[in-house]
Amino acid sequence: ARDSAITGENPVITVHTADYDIDVIAPRVGNCPRVADLWEEAIQSDSYQAFINSKEANTLKTIMVEELGNDFSNNVHDCLMTTMCTDRKLPEILDDYGRSNGGGKYGENIFQRFVDFGTYYYLYPLVHNDAAYSKLGMGPLWYEIIANIKPFLDGDTSKPLTKLALFSGHDSTIEP
């Protein structure tokens, strides 16, 4: 805006949008088919299979289906945190955050157990094999970020330099 006061010109703000399937803000099979292979490798690993088939995971999936009506394993954090952050009431079986529920049929600390389950369920594939999925999946985004920075670092004045590049996305898009 200061430049516009000096030059009398309005600043130009270029906005780029992308289709979800090829957007670089998160790993996408449309950008790099190999990310699908890496995800599959992670969820087929012995460690992940031991987790997903554990007594605890089966107990939590039973609670999801029998008590809450749906297996939402792939959206545990979104379901729990959206409910809490919008001050809505949690289902009674999950409403033991920070306090004892007396043990009950499924034991203590159900809310925290769901958080722990959701964390491992989603994050394990991101860190498996030295984070290969995350590194490869975030490559296109890093390329785009560096493409904005490199001309400045190189002193390239052949075209106007980008003064501000703003990237936005959902919290889970920057987790990798």
Side-chain angles (χ1 to χ4, degrees):
R2 189 178 81 159
D3 288 348
S4 64
I6 295 169
T7 65
E9 297 176 13
N10 290 323
V12 174
I13 299 174
T14 305
V15 177
H16 298 276
T17 61
D19 293 327
Y20 184 82
D21 291 340
I22 59 169
D23 193 358
V24 298
I25 203 75
R28 302 272 187 250
V29 174
N31 293 331
C32 180
R34 178 78 173 113
V35 295
D37 298 336
L38 292 171
W39 187 272
E40 189 64 23
E41 177 187 304
I43 65 172
Q44 294 304 323
S45 70
D46 291 343
S47 295
Y48 193 82
Q49 287 300 307
F51 156 74
I52 205 68
N53 294 307
S54 68
K55 181 179 178 185
E56 175 71 351
N58 286 323
T59 298
L60 296 174
K61 288 187 273 187
T62 297
I63 293 170
M64 287 182 218
V65 173
E66 292 182 9
E67 304 291 336
L68 301 168
N70 190 6
D71 182 342
F72 54 94
S73 295
N74 61 337
N75 286 311
V76 170
H77 285 133
D78 281 346
C79 291
L80 295 178
M81 300 312 169
T82 300
T83 300
M84 289 188 72
C85 291
T86 56
D87 292 326
R88 289 183 279 163
K89 184 159 176 48
L90 286 165
E92 186 175 332
I93 195 162
L94 297 174
D95 196 16
D96 66 349
Y97 181 71
R99 61 183 169 73
S100 173
N101 67 358
K105 179 178 176 181
Y106 299 105
E108 293 268 21
N109 304 312
I110 294 174
F111 181 91
Q112 186 60 52
R113 289 164 53 201
F114 266 90
V115 169
D116 295 344
F117 172 83
T119 300
Y120 194 94
Y121 184 96
Y122 182 72
L123 293 181
Y124 180 83
L126 303 182
V127 299
H128 174 76
N129 191 18
D130 195 28
Y133 171 87
S134 298
K135 290 173 183 176
L136 184 60
M138 297 308 289
L141 174 60
W142 278 115
Y143 174 82
E144 202 166 301
I145 291 169
I146 296 301
N148 281 288
I149 297 170
K150 193 160 175 26
F152 175 79
L153 295 175
D154 293 344
D156 181 358
T157 58
S158 62
K159 54 186 172 184
L161 296 174
T162 300
K163 293 182 181 182
L164 172 68
L166 178 64
F167 295 83
S168 69
H170 194 270
D171 60 349
S172 63
T173 62
I174 60 172
E175 279 178 331

